Amino acid sequence: MLTADNDFILIVDDNPTNLSVLAQALKASGFKVRVAADGETALAIASQHHPAIILLDVQMPGIDGFETCQRLKADQRTDMIPIIFMTALADTEHKVKGLSIGAVDYITKPFEETEVISRVNVHLKLRHLTRELETKNQQLQEFNQNLEHQVHLKTETLRQTQSQLVQREKLSALGELVTGIAHEINNPIGCIINNIDPAQSYIANMTQALQLYRANGEQITPAVLAEIERLDLDFILEDLPKIFKTIELSGNRIHDIAISLRNFARADIHTQQVTNIREGLDGTLLILGHRLKAIADKPPIQVHTHYGGTPQIACYPGQLNQVFMNLMANAIDALEEAIAQNQLSNPEIHLTTELDNQAIVVRIADNGPGIPPPIQTQLFDPMFTTKPVGKGTGLGLSISRQIIEELHQGSIQINPAVKQGAEFIIRLPLTT
């Protein structure tokens, strides 16, 4: 049954009797009907009023049904209208031709009214379902476009958030680095500064004594001798070399720190460099040295190094050092927490390197409270942290895994067999 007010069935036949019989039968079944006696009239009505379905006679004067069908299908305004051919030609050749140019069905003359009504109903239902499907497809396309837009916005927001968090993690590591360097460099700089005044005083006294000797030559009077005695040249000659030696040692210490900092902070992201990872481990210990020292009631954290095979490997030193910094800082955090809760009095960290089946294995272990097994499976998940709010980003271990696995084709894991404390194991292939 047609529903829209402008939906109708167009009957095209040059035989008035056929038009009358079909029109009455369709109207009796509740259909709206319009008729046309030739192909040209049918084309005009179809292009202007868009019938729901066309019953089209094959043999007509002027343009026949086949050409009329071809023109209807060639016009974007009418190409979707279902066409049912009506013909007395029952041979297969004509049916195949009609279907090949776009018809949906055939009705053979003379008509059986019930058959005509049945076929019309079937194709109207198919047309209705097709329209519904087109509408649903359009809605689905719009939904998909909107979804893609929303996903793009969400992805962009997530990317920005992730970038901010990664930047925050880098700033956190930078803060640890700056703090460590500040503590390590403060002592030698303080030593140099504190020795400048006595060194200048000694040099001034020696200069004055030399000037007195030069001015008096062999005629040194008791007064001149008393003045020289007051300058205490013997003590100056003994202490001044010690001051210069202390300044030299402090300068060397600053030089070593500068080299460690340079090695530690290399940001060679795009190219690998051949290096010995022991340099990165030692540099990390140097930078974190201030956190290992005894402060007030906190005992010193003892670090035991067990360096086995550490051949040079091609790697990204700056990124590896970031991993070492993260793991060691986490170990120190765990030990400090245990000390604060009076659970530990002899904090220790063990650094071990060894060769194993064409890989360098680095173990970083502590004797702190350890990590419960249920939490171990989540440690490397982004945003997961066991630290209080504001104390960690939850990205340190996630970024560390990315650096080890994606950049170096290695592996990083926590050792589940450790009964006390925690041990992280890094495997780096000798060739990447």
Side-chain angles (χ1 to χ4, degrees), residues 59 69 77 200 272 296:
Q59 293 181 312
C69 180
R77 296 171 297 176
Q200 288 178 333
Q272 291 187 338

Side-chain angles (χ1 to χ4, degrees), residues 197-264:
D197 284 343
Q200 288 178 333
S201 177
Y202 290 166
I203 292 172
N205 288 350
M206 291 176 65
T207 301
Q208 185 179 352
L210 288 172
Q211 289 174 343
L212 287 172
Y213 277 116
R214 178 182 294 176
N216 292 276
E218 297 180 357
Q219 305 295 324
I220 298 177
T221 64
V224 172
L225 288 174
E227 180 63 18
I228 292 174
E229 185 69 21
R230 185 188 66 79
L231 295 175
D232 200 1
L233 290 180
D234 290 337
F235 177 77
I236 290 174
L237 293 174
E238 178 184 354
D239 196 46
L240 186 58
K242 296 179 182 178
I243 289 178
F244 284 134
K245 186 63 177 178
T246 300
I247 291 175
E248 179 187 8
L249 292 174
S250 298
N252 289 337
R253 177 65 172 169
I254 293 173
H255 179 259
D256 292 341
I257 292 171
I259 292 176
S260 296
L261 178 61
R262 182 193 64 192
N263 291 336
F264 184 89

Side-chain angles (χ1 to χ4, degrees), residues 179-428:
T179 301
I181 291 298
H183 279 82
E184 288 302 316
I185 210 168
N186 186 58
N187 286 338
I189 287 180
C191 182
I192 292 173
I193 292 174
N194 291 333
N195 279 291
I196 288 176
D197 284 343
Q200 288 178 333
S201 177
Y202 290 166
I203 292 172
N205 288 350
M206 291 176 65
T207 301
Q208 185 179 352
L210 288 172
Q211 289 174 343
L212 287 172
Y213 277 116
R214 178 182 294 176
N216 292 276
E218 297 180 357
Q219 305 295 324
I220 298 177
T221 64
V224 172
L225 288 174
E227 180 63 18
I228 292 174
E229 185 69 21
R230 185 188 66 79
L231 295 175
D232 200 1
L233 290 180
D234 290 337
F235 177 77
I236 290 174
L237 293 174
E238 178 184 354
D239 196 46
L240 186 58
K242 296 179 182 178
I243 289 178
F244 284 134
K245 186 63 177 178
T246 300
I247 291 175
E248 179 187 8
L249 292 174
S250 298
N252 289 337
R253 177 65 172 169
I254 293 173
H255 179 259
D256 292 341
I257 292 171
I259 292 176
S260 296
L261 178 61
R262 182 193 64 192
N263 291 336
F264 184 89
R266 282 180 292 179
D268 40 277
I269 298 174
H270 301 293
T271 58
Q272 291 187 338
Q273 294 186 1
V274 176
T275 187
N276 192 317
I277 61 172
R278 180 173 176 174
E279 296 177 359
L281 293 169
D282 289 339
T284 304
L285 286 177
L286 185 149
I287 291 167
L288 292 173
H290 67 286
R291 297 190 61 188
L292 303 173
K293 299 174 182 176
I295 301 176
D297 296 333
K298 189 196 84 170
I301 298 175
Q302 301 295 329
V303 177
H304 305 279
T305 57
H306 315 278
Y307 293 146
T310 53
Q312 291 190 332
I313 61 171
C315 64
Y316 299 88
Q319 282 72 16
L320 275 185
N321 293 337
Q322 184 178 348
V323 175
F324 298 152
M325 168 73 79
N326 181 268
L327 294 179
M328 290 189 201
N330 284 348
I332 294 173
D333 289 341
L335 294 173
E336 288 179 341
E337 182 179 355
I339 293 169
Q341 296 177 1
N342 296 318
Q343 298 176 352
L344 188 65
S345 59
N346 62 328
E348 295 179 345
I349 292 177
H350 289 263
L351 298 182
T352 305
T353 64
E354 59 188 4
L355 284 178
D356 179 34
N357 193 24
Q358 294 300 307
I360 294 178
V361 180
V362 181
R363 300 175 184 269
I364 301 176
D366 65 74
N367 64 338
I371 302 171
I375 294 179
Q376 291 182 11
T377 58
Q378 306 175 64
L379 282 178
F380 294 98
D381 293 344
M383 307 306 298
F384 178 81
T385 180
T386 59
K387 297 179 181 179
V389 176
K391 293 293 186 179
T393 63
L395 289 173
L397 289 177
S398 175
I399 292 174
S400 295
R401 181 171 64 178
Q402 182 179 4
I403 291 171
I404 297 299
E405 294 183 356
E406 296 184 14
L407 279 183
H408 295 88
Q409 290 75 55
S411 66
I412 179 172
Q413 61 183 358
I414 186 169
N415 187 352
V418 172
K419 301 301 181 183
Q420 180 183 1
E423 181 182 61
F424 285 85
I425 303 173
I426 299 171
R427 293 183 62 88
L428 298 169

Side-chain angles (χ1 to χ4, degrees), residues 20-80:
S20 176
V21 171
L22 277 178
Q24 289 179 9
L26 291 170
K27 287 179 180 179
S29 296
F31 295 109
K32 297 177 183 179
V33 176
R34 296 187 68 168
V35 298
D38 56 66
E40 294 290 353
T41 304
L43 290 172
I45 294 174
S47 64
Q48 293 180 18
H49 304 289
H50 309 292
I53 195 168
I54 299 175
L55 300 180
L56 180 61
D57 187 23
V58 172
Q59 293 181 312
M60 295 185 298
I63 60 173
D64 63 9
F66 292 139
E67 185 175 348
T68 302
C69 180
Q70 289 174 325
R71 292 193 187 183
L72 287 168
K73 294 302 176 182
D75 191 335
Q76 290 184 349
R77 296 171 297 176
T78 57
D79 62 344
M80 298 303 295

